[in-house]
Amino acid sequence: MRKKIVAGNWKMNKNLTETKNLLADLKVKFEHMPNGEIIVAPTSVNLQYTSEALKGSGIKVAAQNMHQAESGAFTGEISADMLKSIGVNIVILGHSERRAYFGENDTLLAGKVQTALKNDMTIIFCFGEELEDRKSDTHFTVVENQLKNALFTLEASAWKQIVLAYEPVWAIGTGETASPEQAQEMHAFIRTTIKNKFNAAIAEEVSILYGGSVKPANAQEIFAKPDVDGGLIGGASLDAASFAAIGNAM
Ligand code: PGA
């Protein structure tokens, strides 16, 4: 049975004091874990604190990004080994903000995926179409190409380290959510794409999260769809009560 997951991407929010407070609140809210995994992705500056604070809680910690090289002269960057050395074994790659503002393309992301795999990390791989793609009815092709360019060369065995996060760019931080039907339609397409390229077992086992303006009010309906295995949550993950409500909607 594939895993259900709700992950909170805090983006460039929460200083150390705010991180401490939010984590303390989350540990109380998730004293009884829901039927699935809860992950938080704070800023890299607070990863080490978070990793230590969450020990024994059942809540997992992820990085929001990492560099594709193992080490070297890459000022300002963070390596897989550095993350692992502070107990961070999960990394978000390919978020649309990394693609849009930091020039991360499919080729670069394929390299990051390889490095994360080599370092035995779990990858939450994000992708999704822009508004123009949906308007011009090319959203399925765009999504298929994003998967193809970054993930189609993977060994079958690598898929146990991959979580997919479909995030239509037009729904991120906009308050506009894909309808549960739109999410299900795309998630089913993604699963079929993986099945056709790899096999049915891999397609059935891979968790596909939905991201884009998920809130306590809409989470349950979206997560109830058969091919939606949870969510990647931005804005609503910054508040313990709303993130807990979403986590409990799994
Ligand atoms: P949002 O962000 O929930 O604020 O729309 C989602 C994301 O960027 O992962």
Side-chain angles (χ1 to χ4, degrees):
M1 260 272 291
R2 59 181 179 255
K3 244 188 278 179
K4 294 214 171 236
I5 300 169
V6 165
N9 174 11
W10 296 0
K11 308 190 180 183
M12 198 174 73
N13 296 294
K14 305 287 178 191
N15 64 24
L16 180 58
T17 307
E18 292 163 340
T19 295
K20 287 180 177 175
N21 292 338
L22 180 51
L23 290 173
D25 290 346
L26 288 175
K27 284 205 277 189
V28 174
K29 297 273 184 203
F30 288 116
E31 212 173 325
H32 302 289
M33 289 296 278
N35 189 22
E37 237 170 56
I38 298 291
I39 301 173
V40 293
T43 166
S44 57
V45 173
N46 294 328
L47 279 173
Q48 184 170 9
Y49 174 81
T50 302
S51 173
E52 275 159 26
L54 290 179
K55 268 188 196 141
S57 72
I59 303 173
K60 298 189 173 180
V61 56
Q64 297 176 14
N65 182 34
M66 56 162 243
H67 196 267
Q68 62 276 22
E70 295 289 349
S71 66
F74 301 101
T75 300
E77 292 294 323
I78 294 166
S79 72
D81 177 59
M82 290 169 187
L83 294 173
K84 300 250 344 222
S85 73
I86 55 165
V88 178
N89 302 308
I90 307 171
V91 62
I92 298 172
L93 293 177
H95 191 278
S96 65
E97 286 147 20
R98 299 296 317 171
R99 293 176 188 259
Y101 308 142
F102 303 96
E104 296 198 2
N105 58 28
D106 290 343
T107 314
L108 177 95
L109 289 169
K112 291 194 179 200
V113 167
Q114 287 304 332
T115 304
L117 288 173
K118 233 185 283 166
N119 283 276
D120 281 328
M121 299 187 76
T122 294
I123 298 155
I124 301 177
F125 186 80
C126 306
F127 55 96
E129 83 282 0
E130 313 225 1
L131 185 59
E132 304 79 71
D133 304 323
R134 192 160 272 267
K135 280 189 180 152
S136 60
D137 210 24
T138 54
H139 46 296
F140 291 112
T141 318
V142 167
V143 162
E144 186 174 6
N145 282 332
Q146 288 172 324
L147 291 172
K148 181 157 94 190
N149 295 338
L151 303 179
F152 272 19
T153 56
L154 294 186
E155 302 281 335
S157 61
W159 280 89
K160 59 183 185 312
Q161 286 167 257
I162 305 277
V163 172
L164 298 176
Y166 167 63
E167 300 203 302
V169 178
W170 48 273
I172 295 178
T174 58
E176 189 165 342
T177 329
S179 68
E181 291 69 31
Q182 283 173 319
Q184 168 56 27
E185 183 187 38
M186 184 58 91
H187 283 223
F189 171 78
I190 293 162
R191 215 176 286 288
T192 303
T193 304
I194 306 288
K195 180 177 157 203
N196 293 343
K197 174 62 194 169
F198 292 90
N199 60 51
I202 288 175
E204 271 310 305
E205 277 302 305
V206 68
S207 300
I208 310 177
L209 314 185
Y210 169 79
S213 299
V214 176
K215 303 276 180 283
N218 59 23
Q220 200 149 25
E221 210 188 342
I222 298 171
F223 296 168
K225 292 294 176 191
D227 286 297
V228 179
D229 305 310
L232 182 55
I233 319 301
S237 72
L238 298 173
D239 173 78
S242 80
F243 188 58
I246 295 169
N248 285 314
M250 270 194 286

